[in-house]
Amino acid sequence: MSQMENYWLSKINEIKEEEVKQQYQLLYENLKNSRCFRNITPDFEKISISSLLDKLEKEIENMTSFYTFPNQRVSFYPTFRERKSTKHITCAFSNSVIKKGSLYCNYRPLLDVIDSKRTFVLDKSLKVEIGYLSELPTTIHEFDDFSEKVENYWNYPNEPLDYEAINYYLGGTVRLLELRKEKRK
């Protein structure tokens, strides 16, 4: 099978041996139906099977949580909404007041845990000044790192963000709220 892994996916149909051809068609279908597959490459037919498997392995590694959901694959969808404040609110990162009429960012990511088929959002949205937009996590690895620093803030006294203040803002931990899936009739 190692020699065949250099085949492009588009060349599978040209394989003469029916059993081998079916084996690779099945491999291709399994890869194609993987939830990680759609993030890999739009040109999957112009890439060898071995290259595709390498990319899939890297994608799975990028999706694997080490802190929030240890060793589980998570599709992470950061949600940033720019809002105009209708009242004075406190910035989660600086503890400064965001005045009425000022712009701020409302952050509430969606975490889709592939392995357990469960979906979560941040229990309490983070409201931060626009200047802190680049400090908000955009991947599961960044979110894991952020969560670990918030929950163990005393280990990070020299960080640019005040994780103790964020810990206080969030009530001591980065809590997630599980979304219920409606049953279809």
Side-chain angles (χ1 to χ4, degrees):
M1 219 153 95
S2 61
Q3 178 188 14
M4 298 295 270
E5 287 178 353
N6 293 323
Y7 267 65
W8 288 9
L9 293 173
S10 59
K11 299 292 181 181
I12 290 175
N13 290 331
E14 296 175 13
I15 298 173
K16 301 286 184 218
E17 298 175 42
E18 196 60 37
E19 188 176 312
V20 174
K21 181 177 175 178
Q22 287 176 354
Q23 191 176 17
Y24 275 93
Q25 285 174 334
L26 181 62
L27 172 64
Y28 169 73
E29 285 303 314
N30 288 339
L31 289 172
K32 190 171 143 186
N33 293 329
S34 164
R35 291 186 69 179
C36 304
F37 186 80
R38 62 186 107 135
N39 297 333
I40 294 174
T41 178
D43 259 353
F44 56 86
E45 291 195 10
K46 295 180 181 176
I47 190 169
S48 71
I49 292 172
S50 61
S51 296
L52 186 61
L53 289 170
D54 288 343
K55 287 183 178 220
L56 184 61
E57 188 176 304
K58 286 177 186 168
E59 184 64 25
I60 288 171
E61 183 180 316
N62 289 339
M63 295 177 76
T64 303
S65 174
F66 63 86
Y67 186 79
T68 311
F69 301 100
N71 299 319
Q72 293 191 48
R73 293 175 299 145
V74 178
S75 289
F76 187 83
Y77 305 98
T79 305
F80 306 95
R81 288 204 171 92
E82 194 174 287
R83 304 266 168 122
K84 195 173 203 176
S85 178
T86 58
K87 61 181 181 178
H88 292 326
I89 55 177
T90 303
C91 174
F93 286 2
S94 68
N95 270 345
S96 62
V97 175
I98 300 171
K99 296 184 179 179
K100 182 179 178 179
S102 298
L103 291 177
Y104 71 95
C105 179
N106 190 56
Y107 176 75
R108 194 171 194 196
L110 177 88
L111 293 87
D112 186 12
V113 185
I114 296 168
D115 297 327
S116 66
K117 296 181 181 171
R118 297 167 68 193
T119 306
F120 298 86
V121 292
L122 204 56
D123 187 38
K124 182 177 183 181
S125 296
L126 291 175
K127 296 174 181 170
V128 299
E129 295 171 293
I130 296 296
Y132 288 107
L133 193 62
S134 64
E135 300 293 331
L136 294 168
T138 58
T139 67
I140 188 59
H141 288 232
E142 289 176 6
F143 186 79
D144 281 343
D145 190 46
F146 175 79
S147 298
E148 198 270 329
K149 286 179 178 179
V150 167
E151 293 173 4
N152 301 295
Y153 62 86
W154 55 87
N155 290 329
Y156 304 97
N158 299 324
E159 291 285 323
L161 290 179
D162 183 358
Y163 287 103
E164 183 175 6
I166 300 167
N167 177 287
Y168 179 77
Y169 179 89
L170 291 173
T173 186
V174 178
R175 283 189 292 276
L176 297 173
L177 175 67
E178 184 173 3
L179 300 178
R180 289 190 242 172
K181 295 183 179 181
E182 293 182 24
K183 294 183 180 179
R184 295 183 181 184
K185 295 179 182 180

